[in-house]
């Protein structure tokens, strides 16, 4: 997940989009490349926390939630005020496919995986 967030942020620096429709709440405060760095730094933080033991990695989940939550609310606001009709759809997409997955993932200890998976080699499950 950390690598994905880092790459997503980098794409806004190396190949910036022509427009920033729906992100006016954010781009009014800082240029898009600054918000790209939020994604990149969050990705690095998430990558680092992925190597921590369960429960000690909780800040990684918080960090992972920050950029998609900010973008979700920017798009949602743009949809509500009529600046970007697609904004409400993107709000729901970010909140379910990004934030919802992150929030659910933080609640599941590694040992509660599928019982048909091999033992200790996968996420420290007892064998």
């Amino acid at each position: 997940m950390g690598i994905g967030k880092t790459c997503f942020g980098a794409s806004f620096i190396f190949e910036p989009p022509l427009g920033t429709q729906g992100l006016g709440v954010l781009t009014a405060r800082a240029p898009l490349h600054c918000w790209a760095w939020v994604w990149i730094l969050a990705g690095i933080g998430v990558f680092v926390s992925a190597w921590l033991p369960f429960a000690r990695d909780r800040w990684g989940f918080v960090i992972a939630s920050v950029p998609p939550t900010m973008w979700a609310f920017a798009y949602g606001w743009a949809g509500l005020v009529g600046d970007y009709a697609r904004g409400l759809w993107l709000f729901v997409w970010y909140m379910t496919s990004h934030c919802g997955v992150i929030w659910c993932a933080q609640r599941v200890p590694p040992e509660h995986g599928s019982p048909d998976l091999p033992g200790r080699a996968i996420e420290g499950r007892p064998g």
Side-chain angles (χ1 to χ4, degrees), residues 30-104:
L32 188 60
H33 72 273
C34 293
W35 297 109
W37 278 103
V38 171
W39 282 93
I40 292 168
L41 294 173
I44 292 168
V46 170
F47 182 81
V48 169
S49 74
W51 303 104
L52 298 174
F54 180 74
R56 292 192 176 194
D57 60 352
R58 68 181 151 270
W59 285 109
F61 290 103
V62 172
I63 293 168
S65 299
V66 170
T69 301
M70 290 173 25
W71 284 44
F73 282 99
Y75 281 126
W77 180 253
L80 284 174
V81 299
D83 290 344
Y84 188 53
R86 192 171 170 231
L88 292 175
W89 296 105
L90 289 169
F91 170 81
V92 172
W93 181 71
Y94 270 104
M95 294 307 287
T96 57
S97 69
H98 288 276
C99 299
V101 170
I102 292 165
W103 298 331
C104 288

